[in-house]
Coordinates of all heavy atoms in Angstrom, one line a residue:
P371 N 23.8 -71.0 -109.7 CA 24.6 -71.0 -111.0 C 25.6 -69.9 -111.0 O 26.6 -69.9 -111.8 CB 23.5 -70.7 -112.0 CG 22.3 -70.2 -111.3 CD 22.4 -70.6 -109.9
V372 N 25.5 -68.9 -110.0 CA 26.5 -67.9 -109.9 C 27.8 -68.4 -109.2 O 28.9 -68.2 -109.7 CB 25.9 -66.6 -109.2 CG1 27.1 -65.6 -108.9 CG2 24.8 -66.0 -110.0
E373 N 27.6 -69.1 -108.1 CA 28.7 -69.6 -107.4 C 29.1 -71.0 -107.9 O 30.1 -71.6 -107.5 CB 28.4 -69.7 -105.9 CG 28.3 -68.3 -105.3 CD 28.3 -68.3 -103.7 OE1 28.3 -69.5 -103.2 OE2 28.3 -67.3 -103.1
D374 N 28.3 -71.6 -108.7 CA 28.5 -72.9 -109.3 C 28.6 -73.9 -108.2 O 29.6 -74.7 -108.0 CB 29.7 -73.0 -110.2 CG 29.8 -74.3 -110.9 OD1 28.7 -74.9 -111.2 OD2 30.9 -74.8 -111.2
R375 N 27.6 -74.0 -107.3 CA 27.6 -75.0 -106.2 C 26.2 -75.4 -105.8 O 25.2 -74.6 -106.0 CB 28.3 -74.5 -105.0 CG 27.6 -73.3 -104.2 CD 28.4 -72.8 -103.0 NE 27.8 -71.7 -102.3 CZ 27.0 -71.9 -101.3 NH1 26.7 -73.1 -100.8 NH2 26.4 -70.8 -100.7
I376 N 26.1 -76.6 -105.3 CA 24.8 -77.1 -104.7 C 24.6 -76.5 -103.4 O 25.5 -76.4 -102.5 CB 24.8 -78.6 -104.6 CG1 25.0 -79.3 -106.0 CG2 23.6 -79.2 -103.9 CD1 25.2 -80.8 -106.0
L377 N 23.4 -75.9 -103.1 CA 23.2 -75.2 -101.9 C 22.6 -76.2 -100.9 O 21.9 -77.1 -101.2 CB 22.2 -74.0 -102.1 CG 22.7 -72.9 -103.1 CD1 21.6 -71.9 -103.3 CD2 24.0 -72.3 -102.5
N378 N 22.8 -75.9 -99.6 CA 22.3 -76.7 -98.6 C 20.9 -76.2 -98.1 O 20.7 -75.9 -96.9 CB 23.3 -76.7 -97.4 CG 22.9 -77.7 -96.3 OD1 22.3 -78.8 -96.6 ND2 23.2 -77.4 -95.1
I379 N 20.1 -76.1 -99.1 CA 18.7 -75.7 -98.8 C 17.8 -76.2 -99.9 O 18.3 -76.3 -101.1 CB 18.6 -74.1 -98.7 CG1 17.1 -73.7 -98.3 CG2 19.0 -73.4 -100.0 CD1 17.1 -72.2 -98.0
R380 N 16.6 -76.5 -99.7 CA 15.7 -77.0 -100.7 C 14.7 -75.9 -101.0 O 14.4 -75.0 -100.3 CB 14.9 -78.2 -100.2 CG 15.9 -79.4 -100.0 CD 15.1 -80.6 -99.6 NE 14.3 -81.2 -100.6 CZ 14.7 -81.9 -101.7 NH1 16.0 -82.2 -101.8 NH2 13.8 -82.4 -102.5
I381 N 14.2 -76.0 -102.3 CA 13.1 -75.1 -102.7 C 11.8 -75.9 -102.7 O 11.7 -77.0 -103.3 CB 13.4 -74.6 -104.2 CG1 14.6 -73.6 -104.1 CG2 12.1 -73.8 -104.7 CD1 15.0 -73.1 -105.5
R382 N 10.8 -75.3 -102.1 CA 9.5 -75.8 -102.0 C 8.6 -74.9 -102.8 O 8.1 -73.9 -102.3 CB 9.0 -76.0 -100.6 CG 7.6 -76.6 -100.4 CD 7.3 -76.8 -98.9 NE 8.1 -77.8 -98.3 CZ 8.0 -78.2 -97.0 NH1 7.2 -77.6 -96.2 NH2 8.8 -79.1 -96.6
P383 N 8.4 -75.1 -104.1 CA 7.7 -74.2 -105.0 C 6.3 -73.9 -104.4 O 5.6 -74.8 -103.9 CB 7.6 -74.9 -106.3 CG 8.7 -75.9 -106.3 CD 8.8 -76.3 -104.9
L384 N 5.9 -72.6 -104.5 CA 4.6 -72.2 -104.1 C 3.7 -72.1 -105.4 O 4.1 -71.4 -106.3 CB 4.7 -70.8 -103.4 CG 3.3 -70.2 -103.0 CD1 2.5 -71.1 -102.0 CD2 3.6 -68.8 -102.4
V385 N 2.6 -72.8 -105.4 CA 1.8 -72.8 -106.6 C 0.8 -71.7 -106.7 O 0.5 -71.1 -107.7 CB 1.1 -74.2 -106.8 CG1 0.2 -74.3 -108.0 CG2 2.2 -75.3 -106.8
V386 N 0.1 -71.5 -105.5 CA -1.0 -70.5 -105.5 C -0.9 -69.7 -104.2 O -0.8 -70.2 -103.1 CB -2.4 -71.2 -105.6 CG1 -3.5 -70.1 -105.5 CG2 -2.5 -72.0 -106.9
M387 N -1.0 -68.3 -104.4 CA -1.3 -67.5 -103.3 C -2.7 -66.9 -103.5 O -3.0 -66.5 -104.6 CB -0.3 -66.3 -103.2 CG -0.6 -65.2 -102.2 SD 0.7 -64.0 -101.9 CE 0.7 -63.1 -103.5
E388 N -3.5 -66.9 -102.5 CA -5.0 -66.7 -102.7 C -5.2 -65.3 -103.4 O -6.1 -65.2 -104.3 CB -5.7 -66.8 -101.3 CG -5.9 -65.5 -100.6 CD -4.6 -65.0 -99.9 OE1 -3.6 -65.7 -99.9 OE2 -4.7 -64.0 -99.2
S389 N -4.4 -64.3 -103.0 CA -4.7 -63.0 -103.6 C -4.4 -62.9 -105.1 O -4.9 -62.1 -105.8 CB -3.9 -61.9 -102.9 OG -2.5 -62.2 -102.9
S390 N -3.5 -63.8 -105.6 CA -3.2 -63.8 -107.0 C -4.4 -64.1 -107.8 O -4.7 -63.5 -108.8 CB -2.1 -64.8 -107.3 OG -0.9 -64.5 -106.6
I391 N -5.2 -65.1 -107.4 CA -6.4 -65.5 -108.1 C -7.5 -64.6 -107.8 O -8.3 -64.1 -108.7 CB -6.8 -67.0 -107.8 CG1 -5.7 -67.9 -108.4 CG2 -8.2 -67.3 -108.2 CD1 -6.0 -69.4 -108.1
I392 N -7.8 -64.3 -106.5 CA -8.9 -63.5 -106.1 C -8.8 -62.1 -106.5 O -9.8 -61.5 -107.0 CB -9.1 -63.7 -104.6 CG1 -9.4 -65.1 -104.2 CG2 -10.2 -62.7 -104.1 CD1 -9.4 -65.4 -102.7
E393 N -7.6 -61.5 -106.4 CA -7.5 -60.1 -106.6 C -6.8 -59.8 -108.0 O -7.3 -59.2 -108.9 CB -6.8 -59.4 -105.4 CG -7.5 -59.5 -104.1 CD -6.7 -59.1 -102.9 OE1 -5.7 -58.4 -103.1 OE2 -7.1 -59.4 -101.8
S394 N -5.5 -60.2 -108.0 CA -4.7 -59.8 -109.2 C -5.2 -60.3 -110.5 O -5.2 -59.6 -111.5 CB -3.3 -60.3 -109.0 OG -2.7 -59.7 -107.8
M395 N -5.7 -61.5 -110.5 CA -6.3 -62.1 -111.7 C -7.7 -61.8 -111.9 O -8.4 -62.2 -112.9 CB -6.0 -63.6 -111.8 CG -4.5 -64.0 -111.8 SD -4.1 -65.7 -111.7 CE -4.6 -66.3 -113.3
G396 N -8.4 -61.2 -110.9 CA -9.7 -60.7 -111.0 C -10.8 -61.7 -110.9 O -11.9 -61.5 -111.3
F397 N -10.6 -62.9 -110.3 CA -11.6 -63.9 -110.2 C -12.6 -63.7 -109.1 O -13.7 -64.3 -109.1 CB -11.0 -65.3 -110.1 CG -10.5 -65.8 -111.4 CD1 -9.1 -65.7 -111.7 CD2 -11.3 -66.5 -112.3 CE1 -8.6 -66.3 -112.9 CE2 -10.8 -67.0 -113.5 CZ -9.5 -66.9 -113.8
G398 N -12.2 -62.9 -108.1 CA -13.1 -62.7 -106.9 C -13.2 -64.0 -106.1 O -12.4 -64.8 -106.1
L399 N -14.4 -64.0 -105.4 CA -14.6 -65.2 -104.5 C -15.6 -66.2 -105.1 O -16.1 -67.1 -104.4 CB -15.1 -64.7 -103.2 CG -14.1 -63.9 -102.4 CD1 -14.8 -63.2 -101.2 CD2 -12.9 -64.7 -101.9
G400 N -15.9 -66.1 -106.4 CA -17.0 -66.9 -106.9 C -16.5 -68.2 -107.5 O -15.4 -68.7 -107.3
E401 N -17.4 -68.7 -108.4 CA -17.1 -70.0 -109.0 C -15.9 -70.0 -109.9 O -15.2 -71.0 -110.1 CB -18.4 -70.5 -109.8 CG -19.5 -70.9 -108.8 CD -19.1 -72.0 -107.8 OE1 -18.6 -73.0 -108.2 OE2 -19.4 -71.8 -106.6

Side-chain angles (χ1 to χ4, degrees):
V372 174
E373 294 190 355
D374 189 32
R375 70 179 178 93
I376 297 172
L377 300 176
N378 189 30
I379 185 172
R380 293 181 68 81
I381 291 177
R382 182 175 292 179
L384 177 59
V385 177
V386 177
M387 176 171 65
E388 93 285 0
S389 60
S390 300
I391 289 179
I392 295 169
E393 298 171 16
S394 301
M395 297 175 72
F397 282 97
L399 296 170
E401 290 303 309

